[in-house]
Amino acid sequence: MRQWLGSSLRRKLSLIMLVTTLLPLLFLGTFAFTTSSRITEEKAKQAGLDTLSQMEAKFRFILRDVENMSLFLIGQREIQAYMSRPDDNIEDQVRILGTMTNLVYSKDYISDITIYPAGGAAPLSTSTVYKSELGNQVDIRQVKDKMWTGLYSIENYLGERSVFSFIRPFRSYNHYQTLGWLSITLDEQELSRIWSEPQLAQGHGRVALQNGQGEIVSASDKSWLSRSGESLFPGLAAGMGAAPKGQRTLGEGRDETSVLYVKEPLFGWTILGVIPAEMYTAQNRYILQLTGIAIVLAVAANAALTLFVIQRVTNPLRALTRLLSKVDPDAPLPRYPEESRDEIGRLARSYNRLGLHIEQLKTQLIRGETRKKEADMRALQAQINPHFLYNTLSSIHWIALLTEEHRIARMVGALSDFLRFSLNKGREFCTVAQELAHIRNYVQVQSIRFPDEFKVDFIVDERLNETYMLKLLLQPLVENAMIHGIQNKEAPGVISIYAEQKGSVMSFKVMDDGAGMTEERLREVTESLGGRPAAAAPDAGYGLRNVHERLELHYGKGCGLVIESRPDAGTCVSFSIPVMEEPHEDPDC
């Protein structure tokens, strides 16, 4: 045993530290975990109930808003008159539809508003519904009082959507006779945004909305939709009772979950929140504090015991340090005697090998310096090439002018300015005016290649002309819009460049009315910005990815590209960066 310990410094220290720290750490860890797990669970449940209460307040506002909206429509004299004598008066229908459409567009969660005249006339609806399962829920002409339906499916111009509706009879305010029915339909997908903000259990919890009949009509987990709360959480209904809010623990072991609930008082709806049991330990900051105290106590108790041993084992290291402090940089490293078999002995052998390796590196360094000088000479020679290119283009420009080849002269002149700006003596920043001038040179070259095929509009805030930005950000976006947008369009297209200042931020947009992208293609391009190559046409997003990476490297993660596109409607690529009065590198950009 003594020989086993004597051959390894790590074993010596490990044994001492294990004996002196294991017992107190075990005691304190057990105490901290037991105490904090109980406190953390109680705090997590209370925080979850507070979060659900905020969600319930938002949903209760929506319910009241829908009911107030229905009363507003019923009270409209023009709608009352139409419902009393429904006919084919197009002007009345257009005015009524305009009123209802304004209400729909003012609320994201409202999918449709429809009125059904009692006399059998065609209903008036704010949107065209191709298919609806409302008839499976209720016979609307048999509704006697206001009610909410369960979840059902419709198909409109957005595709298939899950919705539920508020229905009430439309009665005359003169003689209280039923003139028809009013239906206000809520979009489950839009409504479910309430369940994501604020997040339950830091985004790990799931939230569901249960109507008065016990059916889940909206949820963050779409697999719960149209199922009953009792089938998802057996025994929950019996344990809720009449309390306005509370919690139940269901399941056992690793399947244990906490189900929180908050009841909505207007229609008897309930908001359910599910928190996995493992979240309690993840949120347990109190145990970290106790563990830290335990570690401090253990280290303090161990310090006195290990100090003596550390001094014994570090004496050889101190001798090696004194030896290294006397090293002559111009002479080889002195050799250290290899006396032991433990880590100190292996360290001495490594030190001796290091001395030999340093001597070899010195030889390699001398050779490398020689090769570097040769490379510098080649780089100096290569710097002549851009100047030769500029001079050659300038000569072609003047020859074209002398021969009255003005199109060639304009094209060569623009190309020369384009290349000069692209190289820009290695500088990274330029003014906005220089960046826009660079784009105009590019557009001039392209307009000669593709006459009458595109037009470029500049809408620029004049305050930005002398403001500095990273160079070559806009030209790749214009090139991308021309190649992938305008050239894929049969008719001539327009590229619009916007630049404006908002406070300390300047925003840029490059828009085209070209072919646009499908949702799948847009997703591929967006994913490629994060480093994932697109599945199809991998070269299509190279310019965008290059600009996106440069923006994030120079301005931070929040300043990358934002891409919006629809098929046959064009594409918009935008980004925002801080306003800079001076460049980061050289003010003479």
Side-chain angles (χ1 to χ4, degrees):
M1 183 66 177
R2 181 176 299 178
Q3 184 179 3
W4 179 76
L5 287 176
S7 63
S8 173
L9 178 64
R10 177 180 296 179
R11 294 169 188 168
K12 297 175 185 177
L13 295 177
S14 298
L15 179 61
I16 295 174
M17 293 296 294
L18 181 64
V19 172
T20 56
T21 60
L22 181 60
L23 293 179
L25 283 177
L26 285 176
F27 172 78
L28 291 176
T30 303
F31 172 78
F33 179 80
T34 304
T35 303
S36 63
S37 60
R38 175 177 53 82
I39 296 176
T40 300
E41 183 174 351
E42 294 175 356
K43 288 184 177 180
K45 291 178 180 179
Q46 184 58 47
L49 286 174
D50 294 341
T51 300
L52 292 185
S53 297
Q54 297 179 38
M55 296 178 180
E56 185 273 337
K58 294 181 181 179
F59 179 67
R60 185 169 3 114
F61 171 81
I62 292 176
L63 292 180
R64 289 177 176 172
D65 191 31
V66 170
E67 184 160 5
N68 292 338
M69 191 182 302
S70 67
L71 294 175
F72 167 79
L73 292 173
I74 291 175
Q76 288 292 303
R77 181 175 301 175
E78 188 175 50
I79 301 179
Q80 285 271 338
Y82 175 80
M83 296 293 286
S84 300
R85 46 174 181 75
D87 52 26
D88 295 330
N89 190 324
I90 301 301
E91 294 181 358
D92 292 343
Q93 294 180 4
V94 169
R95 285 193 294 269
I96 295 172
L97 283 175
T99 301
M100 296 192 301
T101 301
N102 289 335
L103 292 175
V104 171
Y105 285 161
S106 66
K107 313 291 182 181
D108 294 337
Y109 49 82
I110 294 182
S111 173
D112 173 63
I113 298 178
T114 306
I115 56 177
Y116 300 84
L124 287 182
S125 176
T126 58
S127 66
T128 301
V129 178
Y130 309 128
K131 183 177 67 175
S132 174
E133 296 178 358
L134 178 60
N136 299 334
Q137 292 279 331
V138 64
D139 185 357
I140 197 168
R141 298 187 182 275
Q142 300 300 321
V143 175
K144 303 299 182 182
D145 198 0
K146 61 183 180 181
M147 62 167 290
W148 284 92
T149 70
L151 192 69
Y152 63 94
S153 177
I154 67 170
E155 184 176 350
N156 57 16
Y157 71 98
L158 293 175
E160 188 170 346
R161 313 285 286 187
S162 295
V163 298
F164 56 95
S165 299
F166 174 76
I167 302 174
R168 72 183 308 158
F170 196 113
R171 295 186 173 95
S172 171
Y173 52 65
N174 292 325
H175 45 72
Y176 206 66
Q177 179 183 356
T178 299
L179 303 177
W181 294 267
L182 173 65
S183 170
I184 301 178
T185 302
L186 273 63
D187 190 332
E188 188 278 331
Q189 182 174 341
E190 294 293 333
L191 184 65
S192 62
R193 294 180 180 177
I194 298 177
W195 322 136
S196 60
E197 188 65 30
Q199 294 183 337
L200 179 64
Q202 299 179 353
H204 296 280
R206 294 177 289 178
V207 183
L209 174 65
Q210 177 181 273
N211 63 13
Q213 291 73 41
E215 178 188 5
I216 303 297
V217 296
S218 181
S220 57
D221 188 344
K222 302 307 178 184
S223 65
W224 291 359
L225 295 178
S226 298
R227 299 178 62 183
S228 65
E230 187 65 17
S231 66
L232 291 171
F233 314 109
L236 176 63
M240 289 172 58
K245 61 181 179 180
Q247 64 88 21
R248 290 292 304 274
T249 300
L250 304 177
E252 294 180 357
R254 299 183 63 181
D255 296 330
E256 180 179 318
T257 57
S258 295
V259 181
L260 315 179
Y261 63 88
V262 175
K263 296 182 179 180
E264 184 276 321
L266 294 179
F267 293 92
W269 298 44
T270 305
I271 298 180
L272 304 175
V274 179
I275 303 178
E278 58 265 25
M279 281 301 302
Y280 300 139
T281 54
Q283 298 172 354
N284 193 353
R285 296 183 179 179
Y286 185 64
I287 192 173
L288 296 179
Q289 297 177 357
L290 291 179
T291 304
I293 294 175
I295 294 174
V296 171
L297 293 176
V299 171
N302 188 56
L305 297 176
T306 57
L307 181 60
F308 172 76
V309 177
I310 292 176
Q311 289 178 345
R312 292 286 301 272
V313 299
T314 55
N315 285 336
L317 297 177
R318 296 176 62 185
L320 180 59
T321 302
R322 288 194 297 269
L323 183 63
L324 290 174
S325 63
K326 299 177 181 179
V327 170
D328 184 2
D330 298 326
L333 289 177
R335 292 187 60 83
Y336 185 85
E338 304 174 7
E339 299 177 351
S340 62
R341 298 170 52 192
D342 59 12
E343 283 81 359
I344 300 296
R346 290 196 288 271
L347 179 62
R349 287 191 291 273
S350 298
Y351 164 78
N352 293 331
R353 287 196 297 269
L354 178 63
L356 179 61
H357 185 59
I358 289 177
E359 290 299 315
Q360 295 174 351
L361 289 178
K362 286 182 179 179
T363 303
Q364 295 178 5
L365 181 62
I366 294 174
R367 296 175 181 174
E369 287 295 328
T370 303
R371 295 178 61 187
K372 182 179 177 181
K373 291 180 179 179
E374 294 175 356
D376 290 340
M377 292 298 294
R378 290 194 298 268
L380 181 61
Q381 182 180 4
Q383 291 179 0
I384 302 174
N385 294 335
H387 298 285
F388 173 75
L389 178 61
Y390 300 149
N391 295 334
T392 302
L393 291 174
S394 178
S395 299
I396 297 174
H397 176 75
W398 285 108
I399 292 173
L401 288 177
L402 292 174
T403 58
E404 298 185 356
E405 293 289 346
H406 298 290
R407 292 177 69 245
I408 296 177
R410 290 196 304 271
M411 190 173 188
V412 171
L415 178 59
S416 176
D417 294 339
F418 180 85
L419 293 176
R420 189 182 304 273
F421 179 81
S422 298
L423 296 174
N424 199 22
K425 298 180 180 179
R427 296 174 180 139
E428 288 289 336
F429 292 86
C430 67
T431 63
V432 174
Q434 289 174 315
E435 181 76 5
L436 295 176
H438 181 59
I439 295 175
R440 290 187 175 94
N441 289 327
Y442 173 77
V443 169
Q444 185 173 356
V445 173
Q446 293 293 71
S447 63
I448 296 175
R449 293 183 59 200
F450 308 105
D452 301 325
E453 291 189 12
F454 68 94
K455 177 184 177 183
V456 180
D457 292 334
F458 292 86
I459 304 173
V460 181
D461 190 338
E462 294 183 354
R463 296 176 296 173
L464 297 177
N465 284 336
E466 300 304 319
T467 304
Y468 284 87
M469 64 181 292
L470 189 65
K471 73 173 185 177
L472 296 178
L473 293 180
L474 294 177
Q475 185 272 329
L477 304 184
V478 175
E479 182 177 357
N480 187 78
M482 184 175 300
I483 295 175
H484 301 290
I486 302 302
Q487 292 184 3
N488 292 332
K489 179 182 178 182
E490 296 181 357
V494 177
I495 300 175
S496 301
I497 301 172
Y498 296 87
E500 61 177 339
Q501 180 176 347
K502 297 179 180 178
S504 61
V505 176
M506 50 183 174
S507 300
F508 297 89
K509 291 183 180 179
V510 177
M511 304 175 62
D512 67 78
D513 59 353
M517 292 183 281
T518 63
E519 291 185 5
E520 180 180 359
R521 179 57 184 153
L522 178 60
R523 183 172 59 255
E524 292 174 354
V525 174
T526 303
E527 290 177 352
S528 72
L529 298 183
R532 293 181 54 187
D539 59 330
Y542 176 78
L544 297 179
R545 186 162 62 254
N546 179 272
V547 174
H548 181 78
E549 291 176 354
R550 294 179 66 222
L551 283 169
E552 290 191 338
L553 286 173
H554 286 83
Y555 296 106
K557 288 291 185 182
C559 297
L561 295 181
V562 177
I563 306 175
E564 303 171 79
S565 182
R566 288 188 302 170
D568 301 323
T571 302
C572 174
V573 183
S574 60
F575 63 89
S576 298
I577 58 177
V579 173
M580 289 196 312
E581 298 297 334
E582 295 293 335
H584 287 176
E585 299 178 348
D586 190 340
D588 298 325
C589 184

